[in-house]
Amino acid sequence: MKIRRSLAGVAALATTALVLTACSNAPGDSDDDATGAPSASEAATTGGTLTVAETNQFFSFNPNTSNGNTDINAKVTTYPTRAWFNYVDGSSFAAGNPGVAKDESFGTYEVVSEDPLTVKYTINEGVVWSDGEPVDADDLLLSWAVDSGHYNSADGKVSYFDYAGDTGTLALTDFPELGEDGRSMTLTFSEPAADWEYALAAEAPAHVVAKKAGLADGQALIDLFTKLAPTAKDATADDPELRKVADFWNTGFDSTVLPSDPELYLSSGPYIVSEVVENQSVTLVPNEKYSGDLTPKLDSIVMRTIPDATAAVQALKNGEVDVISPQPSADTLAALEGIDGITVHEGDQLAYDHVDLTFNNGGPFDPATYGGDEAKALKVRQAFLKVIPRQAILEAIVTPLKADASILNSQLFVPAQASYEDSVANNGSADYPGEPDVAGAKALLEEVGVTPTVRILYNINNPNRVNAYTLIAAQATAAGFKVDDQGDAEWGSRLADGSYDVAIFGWINSGVGVSGVPQIFSSTGGGNYNGYKNAEVDQLAATLVKTLDLDEQANIQEQIDPLLFADAYGLPLFQSVGIDAVADRVGGIEAYNPSQSGVWWNVWDWTVTD
């Protein structure tokens, strides 16, 4: 066995223009003519099957909704099955300079004016979805409509797309200008946009969304968006046609099995899904309609769901899988050390575990529970945060892997960043040291005069989250909270439903951009699952996405960090340590990638030799 360790320092954890993903870590018939999924003998590959084990189960072909926004949905349905103007280059992390690589075999984008910033995107002629329909301007316009939030009314009473990302960057643009070629779209920004380069992609097949919503075709969808654009912000009621479009986009691609309708799992990328066994596996094969440069080299890729790290290591040892990305632990590393013919990559992830409290569900942390008395709700939130044994959690989960690890005391920075120490010195995290303060929590609850019940959501199949829950629940009970165990294998689909008061999970990001801050912490952010609202945070986050200077970006985040602690938003626990293990028969996975795509970032380069 060979072990390779990545750089210790990583970029800001809560900042990405691509959608941050929440992490935890049955067969159907396919129509080759409709989907573009060929047999192995027809594929232009070097051949072979590679099997990857992942922790979480797949359940949606749309990872951009609040329901579908989990790491495994994104891994399966982005890099393998979507073509992009650019993608986050996993190899750039090893060089310490995370960045993107352009894919000009898909299309190009060019700045045609700097004042105002105007960008033209053009998809190459001949780029098609796996059903043969072109990827073109209607797909770009659909993505703009979703990702800009343009069709939500200004007063918030009319809202359509359940987008998990932040709308702030594309909200700075006017209604797009579509090119006469049908494959181009030009955006004009009203203000500088820090993340303009990452803001637009062809994420979903517009012709399918249009059809499923009862429209004739993609052009009819363009016409609908065009018609409603001037009045959308003043709307007082739903438009019935757009509501059907949004309803399908929001839920129509969700499935735990391979849909009987091949239009629901189209691909524009090098691979296409050919089989889904519920909660067990996803199989990808080459997309015969793909014409880009990122040519697939394998006959098939199988993603197996193996939540238990011990089982994943055993499967690797037995040759049942070729690549694993298990929950890291000292036991896992020790087990891997006994396996010949593998390489282990290890490093700090672009991820952190955290505890979030829910502000708007009528529970113990919601001011409405106390007749709108925020002071009482704040004291109950503070009481709960005081009982979280962060040091014990760190020592149980991370220290065995990284002896010099420390608890994370910022929601926005990690220790390797220059701003971390300054932010921690001023953000109020000192009010919540690593050791629990049960007596202080009891005193706060007595002041309010409550014995609250707290429903705690976590992934019951993730041993690290189970460990954290067990340690937290014991201290919370000692302080006088009544703990309701909401451990759930389907935790990801519940994040946006308000059915819990405390959530223990992780965020993992792409490593580029700053739009992840408003995605999570602004009141309208698509990843704001806990109903947090602070007008000053909203204003600062809105300014952040319009700020180009990197030092000023850091300064703005240093202003946001203390507001989160003052509001008792929740607590960061630790920066995650990550590992993957790769059999020697595998080519193309050469180093640890700390971002949300994990090993999948260059799936087109994967090979196997027997």
Side-chain angles (χ1 to χ4, degrees), residues 330-344:
D331 290 341
T332 299
L333 274 178
L336 289 171
E337 287 174 359
I339 303 176
D340 293 327
I342 68 168
T343 296
V344 176

Side-chain angles (χ1 to χ4, degrees), residues 419-441:
S419 292
Y420 181 79
E421 289 188 8
D422 287 344
S423 190
V424 169
N426 299 291
N427 66 8
S429 59
D431 292 338
Y432 305 101
E435 301 300 331
D437 179 7
V438 172

Side-chain angles (χ1 to χ4, degrees), residues 343-368:
T343 296
V344 176
H345 304 127
E346 181 183 358
D348 290 338
Q349 283 188 293
L350 281 169
Y352 71 115
D353 272 31
H354 51 94
V355 176
D356 294 354
L357 308 185
T358 306
F359 285 66
N360 65 343
N361 66 343
F365 308 125
D366 184 349

Side-chain angles (χ1 to χ4, degrees), residues 35-376:
T35 67
S39 67
S41 62
E42 296 171 328
T45 68
T46 58
T49 295
L50 186 152
T51 302
V52 183
E54 292 278 357
T55 300
N56 295 320
Q57 60 258 38
F58 174 85
F59 61 88
S60 179
F61 290 89
N62 187 353
N64 294 314
T65 67
S66 62
N67 176 62
N69 179 32
T70 62
D71 59 343
I72 193 59
N73 292 335
K75 287 175 179 176
V76 170
T77 61
T78 51
Y79 284 85
T81 67
R82 289 293 182 271
W84 310 86
F85 290 107
N86 58 34
Y87 57 90
V88 179
D89 183 357
S91 65
S92 65
F93 291 99
N97 186 28
V100 296
K102 294 181 179 180
D103 178 12
E104 295 190 351
S105 68
F106 171 76
T108 58
Y109 54 95
E110 61 175 327
V111 175
V112 297
S113 170
E114 294 186 355
D115 188 17
L117 175 63
T118 306
V119 185
K120 182 178 182 180
Y121 302 83
T122 304
I123 299 172
N124 294 342
E125 188 171 4
V127 175
V128 299
W129 295 98
S130 49
D131 63 353
E133 288 293 314
V135 181
D136 54 22
D138 60 349
D139 302 303
L140 295 178
L141 185 61
L142 172 60
S143 289
W144 176 86
V146 172
D147 298 358
S148 68
H150 181 87
Y151 293 91
N152 299 333
S153 63
D155 60 12
K157 293 181 179 178
V158 178
S159 180
Y160 290 102
F161 298 100
D162 182 26
Y163 178 51
D166 175 61
T167 59
T169 297
L170 289 183
L172 300 174
T173 60
D174 301 325
F175 187 82
E177 177 187 346
L178 302 184
E180 293 183 2
D181 58 9
R183 296 180 286 104
S184 62
M185 190 171 84
T186 300
L187 294 179
T188 300
F189 290 81
S190 60
E191 299 189 58
D195 293 351
W196 71 268
E197 190 170 7
Y198 327 121
L200 187 69
E203 296 163 343
H207 66 287
V208 172
V209 173
K211 176 181 176 181
K212 301 302 181 183
L215 300 177
D217 51 25
Q219 182 59 51
L221 184 60
I222 290 174
D223 294 342
L224 177 63
F225 285 139
T226 304
K227 178 183 73 173
L228 297 178
T231 59
K233 291 303 178 185
D234 298 321
T236 58
D238 282 3
D239 175 85
E241 287 186 310
L242 186 54
R243 173 54 56 196
K244 289 180 180 178
V245 170
D247 285 350
F248 180 79
W249 188 90
N250 292 339
T251 63
F253 295 104
D254 295 343
S255 182
T256 59
V257 298
L258 191 73
S260 58
D261 181 355
E263 290 186 328
L264 301 183
Y265 56 95
L266 296 183
S267 171
S268 62
Y271 288 93
I272 184 170
V273 175
S274 65
E275 183 179 41
V276 181
V277 180
E278 188 170 26
N279 298 331
Q280 295 183 46
S281 67
V282 178
T283 300
L284 296 139
V285 297
N287 171 14
E288 68 177 5
K289 298 295 177 63
Y290 177 72
S291 59
D293 291 343
L294 307 179
T295 307
K297 296 177 174 61
L298 296 166
D299 292 327
S300 62
I301 298 169
V302 179
M303 187 287 293
R304 282 185 55 189
T305 302
I306 306 181
D308 181 73
T310 301
V313 171
Q314 189 62 45
L316 179 65
K317 182 177 181 179
N318 295 344
E320 299 168 24
V321 301
D322 303 295
V323 181
I324 64 173
S325 300
Q327 283 294 310
S329 70
D331 290 341
T332 299
L333 274 178
L336 289 171
E337 287 174 359
I339 303 176
D340 293 327
I342 68 168
T343 296
V344 176
H345 304 127
E346 181 183 358
D348 290 338
Q349 283 188 293
L350 281 169
Y352 71 115
D353 272 31
H354 51 94
V355 176
D356 294 354
L357 308 185
T358 306
F359 285 66
N360 65 343
N361 66 343
F365 308 125
D366 184 349
T369 301
Y370 311 97
D373 191 334
E374 165 59 19
K376 288 184 177 180

Side-chain angles (χ1 to χ4, degrees), residues 460-477:
I460 200 169
N461 286 333
N462 183 323
N464 287 353
R465 304 285 153 70
V466 173
N467 208 340
Y469 163 77
T470 302
L471 291 166
I472 292 170
Q475 298 296 328
T477 300

